[in-house]
PDB file of all heavy atoms in Angstrom:
ATOM      1  N   SER A   1       2.548   4.085   2.721  1.00 91.00           N
ATOM      2  CA  SER A   1       3.430   2.949   2.467  1.00 91.00           C
ATOM      3  C   SER A   1       2.622   1.807   1.849  1.00 91.00           C
ATOM      4  O   SER A   1       1.380   1.827   1.852  1.00 91.00           O
ATOM      5  CB  SER A   1       4.052   2.471   3.786  1.00 91.00           C
ATOM      6  OG  SER A   1       3.042   1.915   4.610  1.00 91.00           O
ATOM      7  N   LYS A   2       3.325   0.791   1.350  1.00 91.00           N
ATOM      8  CA  LYS A   2       2.623  -0.362   0.786  1.00 91.00           C
ATOM      9  C   LYS A   2       1.694  -0.983   1.829  1.00 91.00           C
ATOM     10  O   LYS A   2       0.563  -1.354   1.515  1.00 91.00           O
ATOM     11  CB  LYS A   2       3.618  -1.407   0.288  1.00 91.00           C
ATOM     12  CG  LYS A   2       4.305  -1.024  -0.993  1.00 91.00           C
ATOM     13  CD  LYS A   2       5.229  -2.145  -1.434  1.00 91.00           C
ATOM     14  CE  LYS A   2       6.031  -1.736  -2.639  1.00 91.00           C
ATOM     15  NZ  LYS A   2       6.964  -2.800  -3.060  1.00 91.00           N
ATOM     16  N   GLU A   3       2.178  -1.089   3.062  1.00 93.00           N
ATOM     17  CA  GLU A   3       1.356  -1.677   4.124  1.00 93.00           C
ATOM     18  C   GLU A   3       0.110  -0.838   4.393  1.00 93.00           C
ATOM     19  O   GLU A   3      -0.999  -1.370   4.522  1.00 93.00           O
ATOM     20  CB  GLU A   3       2.177  -1.810   5.406  1.00 93.00           C
ATOM     21  CG  GLU A   3       1.416  -2.474   6.535  1.00 93.00           C
ATOM     22  CD  GLU A   3       2.261  -2.634   7.780  1.00 93.00           C
ATOM     23  OE1 GLU A   3       3.442  -3.009   7.660  1.00 93.00           O
ATOM     24  OE2 GLU A   3       1.721  -2.383   8.872  1.00 93.00           O
ATOM     25  N   THR A   4       0.273   0.468   4.450  1.00 93.00           N
ATOM     26  CA  THR A   4      -0.862   1.368   4.684  1.00 93.00           C
ATOM     27  C   THR A   4      -1.876   1.257   3.558  1.00 93.00           C
ATOM     28  O   THR A   4      -3.081   1.136   3.799  1.00 93.00           O
ATOM     29  CB  THR A   4      -0.374   2.829   4.813  1.00 93.00           C
ATOM     30  OG1 THR A   4       0.492   2.919   5.938  1.00 93.00           O
ATOM     31  CG2 THR A   4      -1.531   3.797   4.972  1.00 93.00           C
ATOM     32  N   VAL A   5      -1.408   1.292   2.328  1.00 92.00           N
ATOM     33  CA  VAL A   5      -2.304   1.207   1.175  1.00 92.00           C
ATOM     34  C   VAL A   5      -3.005  -0.150   1.145  1.00 92.00           C
ATOM     35  O   VAL A   5      -4.206  -0.230   0.881  1.00 92.00           O
ATOM     36  CB  VAL A   5      -1.545   1.484  -0.145  1.00 92.00           C
ATOM     37  CG1 VAL A   5      -2.415   1.182  -1.352  1.00 92.00           C
ATOM     38  CG2 VAL A   5      -1.070   2.933  -0.176  1.00 92.00           C
ATOM     39  N   GLN A   6      -2.273  -1.217   1.429  1.00 93.00           N
ATOM     40  CA  GLN A   6      -2.871  -2.550   1.442  1.00 93.00           C
ATOM     41  C   GLN A   6      -3.981  -2.634   2.490  1.00 93.00           C
ATOM     42  O   GLN A   6      -5.061  -3.168   2.217  1.00 93.00           O
ATOM     43  CB  GLN A   6      -1.800  -3.599   1.720  1.00 93.00           C
ATOM     44  CG  GLN A   6      -2.281  -5.018   1.531  1.00 93.00           C
ATOM     45  CD  GLN A   6      -1.136  -6.002   1.597  1.00 93.00           C
ATOM     46  OE1 GLN A   6      -0.132  -5.764   2.262  1.00 93.00           O
ATOM     47  NE2 GLN A   6      -1.259  -7.096   0.892  1.00 93.00           N
ATOM     48  N   ASN A   7      -3.748  -2.075   3.670  1.00 93.00           N
ATOM     49  CA  ASN A   7      -4.766  -2.076   4.725  1.00 93.00           C
ATOM     50  C   ASN A   7      -5.981  -1.241   4.335  1.00 93.00           C
ATOM     51  O   ASN A   7      -7.126  -1.664   4.526  1.00 93.00           O
ATOM     52  CB  ASN A   7      -4.182  -1.571   6.045  1.00 93.00           C
ATOM     53  CG  ASN A   7      -3.201  -2.548   6.652  1.00 93.00           C
ATOM     54  OD1 ASN A   7      -3.231  -3.742   6.368  1.00 93.00           O
ATOM     55  ND2 ASN A   7      -2.300  -2.040   7.483  1.00 93.00           N
ATOM     56  N   LYS A   8      -5.737  -0.058   3.782  1.00 91.00           N
ATOM     57  CA  LYS A   8      -6.852   0.805   3.364  1.00 91.00           C
ATOM     58  C   LYS A   8      -7.642   0.163   2.231  1.00 91.00           C
ATOM     59  O   LYS A   8      -8.870   0.265   2.184  1.00 91.00           O
ATOM     60  CB  LYS A   8      -6.337   2.178   2.942  1.00 91.00           C
ATOM     61  CG  LYS A   8      -5.881   3.045   4.087  1.00 91.00           C
ATOM     62  CD  LYS A   8      -5.435   4.407   3.582  1.00 91.00           C
ATOM     63  CE  LYS A   8      -5.017   5.327   4.689  1.00 91.00           C
ATOM     64  NZ  LYS A   8      -4.640   6.656   4.178  1.00 91.00           N
ATOM     65  N   LEU A   9      -6.941  -0.490   1.314  1.00 92.00           N
ATOM     66  CA  LEU A   9      -7.615  -1.171   0.202  1.00 92.00           C
ATOM     67  C   LEU A   9      -8.500  -2.298   0.737  1.00 92.00           C
ATOM     68  O   LEU A   9      -9.658  -2.441   0.318  1.00 92.00           O
ATOM     69  CB  LEU A   9      -6.585  -1.710  -0.793  1.00 92.00           C
ATOM     70  CG  LEU A   9      -7.143  -2.457  -1.997  1.00 92.00           C
ATOM     71  CD1 LEU A   9      -8.054  -1.561  -2.828  1.00 92.00           C
ATOM     72  CD2 LEU A   9      -5.991  -2.995  -2.856  1.00 92.00           C
ATOM     73  N   ALA A  10      -7.986  -3.080   1.671  1.00 93.00           N
ATOM     74  CA  ALA A  10      -8.772  -4.169   2.259  1.00 93.00           C
ATOM     75  C   ALA A  10     -10.005  -3.617   2.977  1.00 93.00           C
ATOM     76  O   ALA A  10     -11.110  -4.181   2.854  1.00 93.00           O
ATOM     77  CB  ALA A  10      -7.907  -4.976   3.220  1.00 93.00           C
ATOM     78  N   GLN A  11      -9.849  -2.513   3.692  1.00 92.00           N
ATOM     79  CA  GLN A  11     -10.980  -1.888   4.382  1.00 92.00           C
ATOM     80  C   GLN A  11     -12.021  -1.397   3.376  1.00 92.00           C
ATOM     81  O   GLN A  11     -13.227  -1.549   3.593  1.00 92.00           O
ATOM     82  CB  GLN A  11     -10.504  -0.732   5.249  1.00 92.00           C
ATOM     83  CG  GLN A  11      -9.696  -1.150   6.447  1.00 92.00           C
ATOM     84  CD  GLN A  11      -9.042   0.036   7.151  1.00 92.00           C
ATOM     85  OE1 GLN A  11      -9.196   1.185   6.753  1.00 92.00           O
ATOM     86  NE2 GLN A  11      -8.298  -0.251   8.208  1.00 92.00           N
ATOM     87  N   PHE A  12     -11.554  -0.802   2.284  1.00 91.00           N
ATOM     88  CA  PHE A  12     -12.457  -0.304   1.253  1.00 91.00           C
ATOM     89  C   PHE A  12     -13.254  -1.444   0.637  1.00 91.00           C
ATOM     90  O   PHE A  12     -14.469  -1.357   0.481  1.00 91.00           O
ATOM     91  CB  PHE A  12     -11.660   0.439   0.173  1.00 91.00           C
ATOM     92  CG  PHE A  12     -12.481   0.838  -1.016  1.00 91.00           C
ATOM     93  CD1 PHE A  12     -13.320   1.933  -0.953  1.00 91.00           C
ATOM     94  CD2 PHE A  12     -12.426   0.113  -2.196  1.00 91.00           C
ATOM     95  CE1 PHE A  12     -14.090   2.308  -2.052  1.00 91.00           C
ATOM     96  CE2 PHE A  12     -13.177   0.477  -3.295  1.00 91.00           C
ATOM     97  CZ  PHE A  12     -14.021   1.576  -3.219  1.00 91.00           C
ATOM     98  N   VAL A  13     -12.563  -2.526   0.276  1.00 92.00           N
ATOM     99  CA  VAL A  13     -13.233  -3.675  -0.343  1.00 92.00           C
ATOM    100  C   VAL A  13     -14.255  -4.271   0.623  1.00 92.00           C
ATOM    101  O   VAL A  13     -15.386  -4.588   0.233  1.00 92.00           O
ATOM    102  CB  VAL A  13     -12.201  -4.731  -0.798  1.00 92.00           C
ATOM    103  CG1 VAL A  13     -12.877  -6.022  -1.209  1.00 92.00           C
ATOM    104  CG2 VAL A  13     -11.361  -4.183  -1.952  1.00 92.00           C
ATOM    105  N   GLU A  14     -13.877  -4.418   1.890  1.00 94.00           N
ATOM    106  CA  GLU A  14     -14.804  -4.970   2.872  1.00 94.00           C
ATOM    107  C   GLU A  14     -16.015  -4.062   3.082  1.00 94.00           C
ATOM    108  O   GLU A  14     -17.149  -4.523   3.167  1.00 94.00           O
ATOM    109  CB  GLU A  14     -14.094  -5.203   4.197  1.00 94.00           C
ATOM    110  CG  GLU A  14     -14.986  -5.914   5.197  1.00 94.00           C
ATOM    111  CD  GLU A  14     -14.246  -6.351   6.441  1.00 94.00           C
ATOM    112  OE1 GLU A  14     -13.065  -6.718   6.332  1.00 94.00           O
ATOM    113  OE2 GLU A  14     -14.864  -6.317   7.519  1.00 94.00           O
ATOM    114  N   ALA A  15     -15.775  -2.759   3.156  1.00 92.00           N
ATOM    115  CA  ALA A  15     -16.867  -1.811   3.418  1.00 92.00           C
ATOM    116  C   ALA A  15     -17.838  -1.701   2.249  1.00 92.00           C
ATOM    117  O   ALA A  15     -19.035  -1.496   2.455  1.00 92.00           O
ATOM    118  CB  ALA A  15     -16.293  -0.432   3.747  1.00 92.00           C
ATOM    119  N   THR A  16     -17.325  -1.838   1.025  1.00 92.00           N
ATOM    120  CA  THR A  16     -18.175  -1.635  -0.149  1.00 92.00           C
ATOM    121  C   THR A  16     -18.636  -2.925  -0.801  1.00 92.00           C
ATOM    122  O   THR A  16     -19.616  -2.932  -1.541  1.00 92.00           O
ATOM    123  CB  THR A  16     -17.433  -0.801  -1.213  1.00 92.00           C
ATOM    124  OG1 THR A  16     -16.260  -1.520  -1.625  1.00 92.00           O
ATOM    125  CG2 THR A  16     -17.070   0.572  -0.679  1.00 92.00           C
ATOM    126  N   GLY A  17     -17.911  -4.021  -0.576  1.00 95.00           N
ATOM    127  CA  GLY A  17     -18.272  -5.287  -1.198  1.00 95.00           C
ATOM    128  C   GLY A  17     -17.978  -5.353  -2.687  1.00 95.00           C
ATOM    129  O   GLY A  17     -18.506  -6.215  -3.388  1.00 95.00           O
ATOM    130  N   VAL A  18     -17.132  -4.480  -3.175  1.00 93.00           N
ATOM    131  CA  VAL A  18     -16.824  -4.460  -4.610  1.00 93.00           C
ATOM    132  C   VAL A  18     -16.011  -5.690  -5.004  1.00 93.00           C
ATOM    133  O   VAL A  18     -15.319  -6.285  -4.180  1.00 93.00           O
ATOM    134  CB  VAL A  18     -16.052  -3.189  -5.025  1.00 93.00           C
ATOM    135  CG1 VAL A  18     -16.878  -1.950  -4.762  1.00 93.00           C
ATOM    136  CG2 VAL A  18     -14.711  -3.104  -4.340  1.00 93.00           C
ATOM    137  N   ASP A  19     -16.126  -6.070  -6.274  1.00 92.00           N
ATOM    138  CA  ASP A  19     -15.313  -7.168  -6.781  1.00 92.00           C
ATOM    139  C   ASP A  19     -14.396  -6.713  -7.907  1.00 92.00           C
ATOM    140  O   ASP A  19     -13.717  -7.510  -8.537  1.00 92.00           O
ATOM    141  CB  ASP A  19     -16.182  -8.340  -7.236  1.00 92.00           C
ATOM    142  CG  ASP A  19     -17.102  -7.978  -8.381  1.00 92.00           C
ATOM    143  OD1 ASP A  19     -17.107  -6.813  -8.821  1.00 92.00           O
ATOM    144  OD2 ASP A  19     -17.827  -8.877  -8.844  1.00 92.00           O
ATOM    145  N   GLU A  20     -14.386  -5.419  -8.150  1.00 92.00           N
ATOM    146  CA  GLU A  20     -13.520  -4.842  -9.179  1.00 92.00           C
ATOM    147  C   GLU A  20     -13.177  -3.415  -8.766  1.00 92.00           C
ATOM    148  O   GLU A  20     -14.015  -2.710  -8.205  1.00 92.00           O
ATOM    149  CB  GLU A  20     -14.246  -4.833 -10.524  1.00 92.00           C
ATOM    150  CG  GLU A  20     -13.438  -4.291 -11.665  1.00 92.00           C
ATOM    151  CD  GLU A  20     -14.179  -4.366 -12.994  1.00 92.00           C
ATOM    152  OE1 GLU A  20     -15.419  -4.405 -12.997  1.00 92.00           O
ATOM    153  OE2 GLU A  20     -13.493  -4.381 -14.017  1.00 92.00           O
ATOM    154  N   ILE A  21     -11.951  -3.000  -9.050  1.00 89.00           N
ATOM    155  CA  ILE A  21     -11.505  -1.656  -8.688  1.00 89.00           C
ATOM    156  C   ILE A  21     -10.883  -0.992  -9.912  1.00 89.00           C
ATOM    157  O   ILE A  21     -10.087  -1.615 -10.624  1.00 89.00           O
ATOM    158  CB  ILE A  21     -10.474  -1.703  -7.545  1.00 89.00           C
ATOM    159  CG1 ILE A  21     -11.126  -2.258  -6.288  1.00 89.00           C
ATOM    160  CG2 ILE A  21      -9.872  -0.327  -7.281  1.00 89.00           C
ATOM    161  CD1 ILE A  21     -10.176  -2.488  -5.157  1.00 89.00           C
ATOM    162  N   ILE A  22     -11.257   0.235 -10.152  1.00 90.00           N
ATOM    163  CA  ILE A  22     -10.640   1.046 -11.205  1.00 90.00           C
ATOM    164  C   ILE A  22      -9.700   2.015 -10.510  1.00 90.00           C
ATOM    165  O   ILE A  22     -10.107   2.755  -9.609  1.00 90.00           O
ATOM    166  CB  ILE A  22     -11.695   1.801 -12.029  1.00 90.00           C
ATOM    167  CG1 ILE A  22     -12.610   0.799 -12.720  1.00 90.00           C
ATOM    168  CG2 ILE A  22     -11.022   2.733 -13.029  1.00 90.00           C
ATOM    169  CD1 ILE A  22     -13.811   1.425 -13.388  1.00 90.00           C
ATOM    170  N   VAL A  23      -8.449   2.018 -10.918  1.00 89.00           N
ATOM    171  CA  VAL A  23      -7.426   2.830 -10.268  1.00 89.00           C
ATOM    172  C   VAL A  23      -7.029   3.988 -11.179  1.00 89.00           C
ATOM    173  O   VAL A  23      -6.826   3.797 -12.377  1.00 89.00           O
ATOM    174  CB  VAL A  23      -6.180   1.968  -9.944  1.00 89.00           C
ATOM    175  CG1 VAL A  23      -5.086   2.810  -9.335  1.00 89.00           C
ATOM    176  CG2 VAL A  23      -6.561   0.818  -9.036  1.00 89.00           C
ATOM    177  N   SER A  24      -6.923   5.162 -10.598  1.00 89.00           N
ATOM    178  CA  SER A  24      -6.457   6.333 -11.324  1.00 89.00           C
ATOM    179  C   SER A  24      -5.278   6.919 -10.559  1.00 89.00           C
ATOM    180  O   SER A  24      -5.358   7.121  -9.350  1.00 89.00           O
ATOM    181  CB  SER A  24      -7.572   7.371 -11.421  1.00 89.00           C
ATOM    182  OG  SER A  24      -7.087   8.560 -11.999  1.00 89.00           O
ATOM    183  N   MET A  25      -4.189   7.164 -11.278  1.00 90.00           N
ATOM    184  CA  MET A  25      -3.002   7.742 -10.649  1.00 90.00           C
ATOM    185  C   MET A  25      -2.585   8.980 -11.444  1.00 90.00           C
ATOM    186  O   MET A  25      -1.709   8.898 -12.294  1.00 90.00           O
ATOM    187  CB  MET A  25      -1.875   6.710 -10.597  1.00 90.00           C
ATOM    188  CG  MET A  25      -2.198   5.527  -9.752  1.00 90.00           C
ATOM    189  SD  MET A  25      -0.833   4.381  -9.690  1.00 90.00           S
ATOM    190  CE  MET A  25      -1.546   3.085  -8.722  1.00 90.00           C
ATOM    191  N   PRO A  26      -3.232  10.105 -11.180  1.00 89.00           N
ATOM    192  CA  PRO A  26      -2.912  11.321 -11.927  1.00 89.00           C
ATOM    193  C   PRO A  26      -1.617  11.966 -11.438  1.00 89.00           C
ATOM    194  O   PRO A  26      -1.623  13.020 -10.814  1.00 89.00           O
ATOM    195  CB  PRO A  26      -4.133  12.204 -11.683  1.00 89.00           C
ATOM    196  CG  PRO A  26      -4.621  11.780 -10.337  1.00 89.00           C
ATOM    197  CD  PRO A  26      -4.324  10.311 -10.243  1.00 89.00           C
ATOM    198  N   ILE A  27      -0.511  11.287 -11.705  1.00 91.00           N
ATOM    199  CA  ILE A  27       0.810  11.766 -11.277  1.00 91.00           C
ATOM    200  C   ILE A  27       1.536  12.268 -12.514  1.00 91.00           C
ATOM    201  O   ILE A  27       1.714  11.521 -13.479  1.00 91.00           O
ATOM    202  CB  ILE A  27       1.606  10.630 -10.602  1.00 91.00           C
ATOM    203  CG1 ILE A  27       0.826  10.085  -9.399  1.00 91.00           C
ATOM    204  CG2 ILE A  27       2.992  11.122 -10.195  1.00 91.00           C
ATOM    205  CD1 ILE A  27       1.388   8.803  -8.834  1.00 91.00           C
ATOM    206  N   TYR A  28       1.949  13.511 -12.507  1.00 93.00           N
ATOM    207  CA  TYR A  28       2.567  14.121 -13.688  1.00 93.00           C
ATOM    208  C   TYR A  28       3.878  13.440 -14.067  1.00 93.00           C
ATOM    209  O   TYR A  28       4.098  13.106 -15.229  1.00 93.00           O
ATOM    210  CB  TYR A  28       2.798  15.616 -13.453  1.00 93.00           C
ATOM    211  CG  TYR A  28       3.495  16.289 -14.611  1.00 93.00           C
ATOM    212  CD1 TYR A  28       2.788  16.607 -15.756  1.00 93.00           C
ATOM    213  CD2 TYR A  28       4.855  16.574 -14.566  1.00 93.00           C
ATOM    214  CE1 TYR A  28       3.416  17.202 -16.838  1.00 93.00           C
ATOM    215  CE2 TYR A  28       5.491  17.170 -15.643  1.00 93.00           C
ATOM    216  CZ  TYR A  28       4.768  17.482 -16.768  1.00 93.00           C
ATOM    217  OH  TYR A  28       5.404  18.065 -17.828  1.00 93.00           O
ATOM    218  N   ASP A  29       4.745  13.218 -13.108  1.00 95.00           N
ATOM    219  CA  ASP A  29       6.056  12.639 -13.379  1.00 95.00           C
ATOM    220  C   ASP A  29       5.903  11.160 -13.739  1.00 95.00           C
ATOM    221  O   ASP A  29       5.423  10.364 -12.928  1.00 95.00           O
ATOM    222  CB  ASP A  29       6.950  12.799 -12.149  1.00 95.00           C
ATOM    223  CG  ASP A  29       8.333  12.224 -12.376  1.00 95.00           C
ATOM    224  OD1 ASP A  29       9.206  12.954 -12.863  1.00 95.00           O
ATOM    225  OD2 ASP A  29       8.522  11.024 -12.068  1.00 95.00           O
ATOM    226  N   ILE A  30       6.301  10.773 -14.938  1.00 95.00           N
ATOM    227  CA  ILE A  30       6.086   9.411 -15.415  1.00 95.00           C
ATOM    228  C   ILE A  30       6.816   8.378 -14.568  1.00 95.00           C
ATOM    229  O   ILE A  30       6.291   7.290 -14.302  1.00 95.00           O
ATOM    230  CB  ILE A  30       6.451   9.275 -16.917  1.00 95.00           C
ATOM    231  CG1 ILE A  30       6.007   7.904 -17.461  1.00 95.00           C
ATOM    232  CG2 ILE A  30       7.936   9.463 -17.137  1.00 95.00           C
ATOM    233  CD1 ILE A  30       4.539   7.684 -17.489  1.00 95.00           C
ATOM    234  N   GLU A  31       8.015   8.677 -14.111  1.00 96.00           N
ATOM    235  CA  GLU A  31       8.751   7.726 -13.274  1.00 96.00           C
ATOM    236  C   GLU A  31       8.034   7.505 -11.944  1.00 96.00           C
ATOM    237  O   GLU A  31       7.931   6.377 -11.457  1.00 96.00           O
ATOM    238  CB  GLU A  31      10.191   8.198 -13.044  1.00 96.00           C
ATOM    239  CG  GLU A  31      11.032   8.220 -14.306  1.00 96.00           C
ATOM    240  CD  GLU A  31      11.167   6.849 -14.971  1.00 96.00           C
ATOM    241  OE1 GLU A  31      11.291   5.840 -14.257  1.00 96.00           O
ATOM    242  OE2 GLU A  31      11.144   6.799 -16.215  1.00 96.00           O
ATOM    243  N   ALA A  32       7.528   8.569 -11.363  1.00 94.00           N
ATOM    244  CA  ALA A  32       6.782   8.449 -10.108  1.00 94.00           C
ATOM    245  C   ALA A  32       5.487   7.671 -10.331  1.00 94.00           C
ATOM    246  O   ALA A  32       5.084   6.850  -9.496  1.00 94.00           O
ATOM    247  CB  ALA A  32       6.482   9.834  -9.538  1.00 94.00           C
ATOM    248  N   ARG A  33       4.839   7.922 -11.467  1.00 94.00           N
ATOM    249  CA  ARG A  33       3.603   7.199 -11.778  1.00 94.00           C
ATOM    250  C   ARG A  33       3.875   5.709 -11.946  1.00 94.00           C
ATOM    251  O   ARG A  33       3.152   4.860 -11.428  1.00 94.00           O
ATOM    252  CB  ARG A  33       2.947   7.752 -13.030  1.00 94.00           C
ATOM    253  CG  ARG A  33       1.575   7.152 -13.250  1.00 94.00           C
ATOM    254  CD  ARG A  33       0.837   7.702 -14.450  1.00 94.00           C
ATOM    255  NE  ARG A  33       1.161   9.073 -14.755  1.00 94.00           N
ATOM    256  CZ  ARG A  33       1.149   9.577 -15.982  1.00 94.00           C
ATOM    257  NH1 ARG A  33       0.842   8.826 -17.014  1.00 94.00           N
ATOM    258  NH2 ARG A  33       1.454  10.834 -16.196  1.00 94.00           N
ATOM    259  N   LEU A  34       4.939   5.360 -12.685  1.00 95.00           N
ATOM    260  CA  LEU A  34       5.290   3.954 -12.881  1.00 95.00           C
ATOM    261  C   LEU A  34       5.641   3.286 -11.556  1.00 95.00           C
ATOM    262  O   LEU A  34       5.286   2.124 -11.318  1.00 95.00           O
ATOM    263  CB  LEU A  34       6.433   3.819 -13.880  1.00 95.00           C
ATOM    264  CG  LEU A  34       6.071   4.161 -15.325  1.00 95.00           C
ATOM    265  CD1 LEU A  34       7.314   4.159 -16.203  1.00 95.00           C
ATOM    266  CD2 LEU A  34       5.028   3.188 -15.866  1.00 95.00           C
ATOM    267  N   PHE A  35       6.324   4.004 -10.684  1.00 94.00           N
ATOM    268  CA  PHE A  35       6.630   3.474  -9.356  1.00 94.00           C
ATOM    269  C   PHE A  35       5.342   3.144  -8.618  1.00 94.00           C
ATOM    270  O   PHE A  35       5.203   2.064  -8.026  1.00 94.00           O
ATOM    271  CB  PHE A  35       7.472   4.483  -8.556  1.00 94.00           C
ATOM    272  CG  PHE A  35       7.722   4.030  -7.149  1.00 94.00           C
ATOM    273  CD1 PHE A  35       8.750   3.143  -6.868  1.00 94.00           C
ATOM    274  CD2 PHE A  35       6.922   4.477  -6.109  1.00 94.00           C
ATOM    275  CE1 PHE A  35       8.978   2.706  -5.564  1.00 94.00           C
ATOM    276  CE2 PHE A  35       7.136   4.047  -4.812  1.00 94.00           C
ATOM    277  CZ  PHE A  35       8.166   3.165  -4.536  1.00 94.00           C
ATOM    278  N   SER A  36       4.381   4.053  -8.642  1.00 93.00           N
ATOM    279  CA  SER A  36       3.109   3.841  -7.964  1.00 93.00           C
ATOM    280  C   SER A  36       2.323   2.677  -8.569  1.00 93.00           C
ATOM    281  O   SER A  36       1.742   1.878  -7.842  1.00 93.00           O
ATOM    282  CB  SER A  36       2.248   5.106  -8.010  1.00 93.00           C
ATOM    283  OG  SER A  36       2.769   6.076  -7.142  1.00 93.00           O
ATOM    284  N   VAL A  37       2.315   2.606  -9.888  1.00 93.00           N
ATOM    285  CA  VAL A  37       1.614   1.508 -10.559  1.00 93.00           C
ATOM    286  C   VAL A  37       2.222   0.171 -10.151  1.00 93.00           C
ATOM    287  O   VAL A  37       1.509  -0.778  -9.798  1.00 93.00           O
ATOM    288  CB  VAL A  37       1.642   1.684 -12.090  1.00 93.00           C
ATOM    289  CG1 VAL A  37       1.168   0.422 -12.806  1.00 93.00           C
ATOM    290  CG2 VAL A  37       0.790   2.871 -12.502  1.00 93.00           C
ATOM    291  N   ASN A  38       3.529   0.072 -10.177  1.00 94.00           N
ATOM    292  CA  ASN A  38       4.198  -1.168  -9.803  1.00 94.00           C
ATOM    293  C   ASN A  38       3.987  -1.509  -8.327  1.00 94.00           C
ATOM    294  O   ASN A  38       3.745  -2.672  -7.982  1.00 94.00           O
ATOM    295  CB  ASN A  38       5.693  -1.101 -10.129  1.00 94.00           C
ATOM    296  CG  ASN A  38       5.946  -1.157 -11.619  1.00 94.00           C
ATOM    297  OD1 ASN A  38       5.257  -1.851 -12.348  1.00 94.00           O
ATOM    298  ND2 ASN A  38       6.941  -0.420 -12.072  1.00 94.00           N
TER     299      ASN A  38
END
């Protein structure tokens, strides 16, 4: 869920100290991919 992803993202940023993230969403269905991107 959005809440789960937001929490995991915050944990990742805190654990790694990164200041930039590259996101990859290898989802075949374009509508599903756009949903995920948004």
